[in-house]
Amino acid sequence: MNRDNVATLGVDLGDRSYQIHIGSGLLSVVGTRLRDLAFRRVVVLTNPIVAAHWLAPVVRSLTEAGIATDTIMIPDGEAHKNQRTLDDVLTRLLELRAERSTAMVALGGGVVGDIAGFAAAIYQRGMPFVQIPTTLLAQVDSSVGGKTGINHPLGKNMIGAFHQPRLVLIDTDCLRTLPARELAAGMSEVVKHGAIRDAGFFGWLESNAARLTAADPGVLRHAILTSCAIKAAIVAADEREGGMRALLNFGHTFGHAIETHAGYGAWLHGEAVGAGMVLAARLSARVQGLPEADVARLVALLQRLAVPTQPPSMPVARWLDLMGRDKKVAAGRLRFVLLDALGSAVVTDDVPEPALVALLN
């Protein structure tokens, strides 16, 4: 591995600050990077799909570094991001006699990362963990920022904790085995970062859409690096979502409702967020003055990246009920992330219900 090809970003959170490393071949140095953090024992949490491709090089690197390693397997898919799986993980940690100093390593996509992080947050009142995201969505979003948790039948990600990783290792080689649908789903979170924060990046995505869908390594690396930089800056400014960090939920209020209504796993998270962003953009045009030309650009870019833009059919009452359970509800009022323009977002609870109902009809 050429270290010159590794980009490093910092997430500045005082004594809980950590680094994000992005590059090719990083799985081969997992052991040395974790040894540098003084870890002597780790438990790798993964699923059988990811393990078939990437578990062996991770375990080999850890073993060569003299780090004792155990593995916990969980089922693949959003449908298993629940209390039962969490309980199974905690039981296995107890059976392995994992200690508070044992590090949890999340090797997989967003489901693996969320469960690993939540288990690490609550096992013995907190153990360290490391993120090794293997999907585009996890690399550009869920592995950074310390949000961990599980789903509940009544709502997405409603049970969880803030628990920051000690390190994020993003090996872009992992995207070589990612199914096309998963790659496309991850694109929605990339587009989100441009839409809420960086109009120049949004324009770059438009110019490079064909190369992104073709999984061009250099273009993907730039998209990952820029997305992580945007998210790291927002998280550093507002770790626990008291203000600015809520901007990262653009499209998520609608998207989480889609996932809950359809049944977890029927829509991939990124697919639901894509359709949710379109709804949020159209609502922005109605109440925030977003130019219709900007709405059209967002829809066109998502479509070029093979991200769904049409939500499932759902009664308005069902939409309102599901969104009313969202974590961003404050004092009983729905809060939405809306756009003033591409690259400029706001959080507001001043959305007239008639405008929302008209959108959803």
Side-chain angles (χ1 to χ4, degrees), residues 159-217:
I159 303 166
F162 287 97
H163 188 53
Q164 297 293 343
R166 293 286 303 279
L167 177 70
V168 180
L169 287 175
I170 298 175
D171 191 331
T172 54
D173 293 345
C174 293
L175 299 180
R176 294 199 312 257
T177 60
L178 196 65
R181 183 185 176 193
E182 292 274 2
L183 185 70
M187 295 294 178
S188 67
E189 295 284 4
V190 176
V191 171
K192 177 196 75 178
H193 289 114
I196 66 169
R197 194 73 169 178
D198 191 333
F201 180 48
F202 190 94
W204 180 88
L205 292 171
E206 291 177 306
S207 299
N208 289 277
R211 295 173 69 188
L212 284 164
T213 56
D216 178 284

Side-chain angles (χ1 to χ4, degrees), residues 112-164:
V112 167
D114 279 5
I115 291 178
F118 191 28
I122 61 178
Y123 182 76
Q124 294 194 3
R125 298 189 176 90
M127 61 192 297
F129 89 112
V130 171
Q131 289 272 21
I132 306 179
T134 60
T135 66
L136 180 61
L137 190 144
Q139 290 180 352
V140 301
D141 186 59
S142 61
S143 66
V144 177
K147 279 188 175 181
T148 73
I150 56 175
N151 300 328
H152 187 279
L154 295 180
K156 167 91 173 179
N157 290 337
M158 294 302 289
I159 303 166
F162 287 97
H163 188 53
Q164 297 293 343

Side-chain angles (χ1 to χ4, degrees), residues 83-102:
Q83 186 70 50
R84 178 176 178 176
T85 302
L86 177 66
D87 286 344
D88 289 344
V89 171
L90 295 172
T91 297
R92 188 68 185 128
L93 288 172
L94 288 164
E95 291 172 345
L96 292 169
R97 300 194 180 194
E99 300 174 355
R100 186 176 288 176
S101 61
T102 304

Side-chain angles (χ1 to χ4, degrees), residues 256-285:
H256 287 171
I258 291 170
E259 288 184 86
T260 304
H261 174 76
Y264 299 122
W267 282 63
L268 297 179
H269 174 67
E271 294 172 335
V273 167
M277 286 194 294
V278 172
L279 287 170
R282 289 176 175 155
L283 185 61
S284 299

Side-chain angles (χ1 to χ4, degrees), residues 17-48:
S17 297
Y18 55 95
Q19 292 185 327
I20 307 165
H21 299 301
I22 304 166
S24 172
L26 284 176
L27 294 190
S28 66
V29 296
V30 169
T32 56
R33 297 295 172 92
L34 269 60
R35 187 174 59 196
D36 290 345
L37 292 173
F39 296 144
R40 294 294 175 261
R41 184 186 177 196
V42 305
V43 175
V44 179
L45 184 72
T46 188
N47 67 50

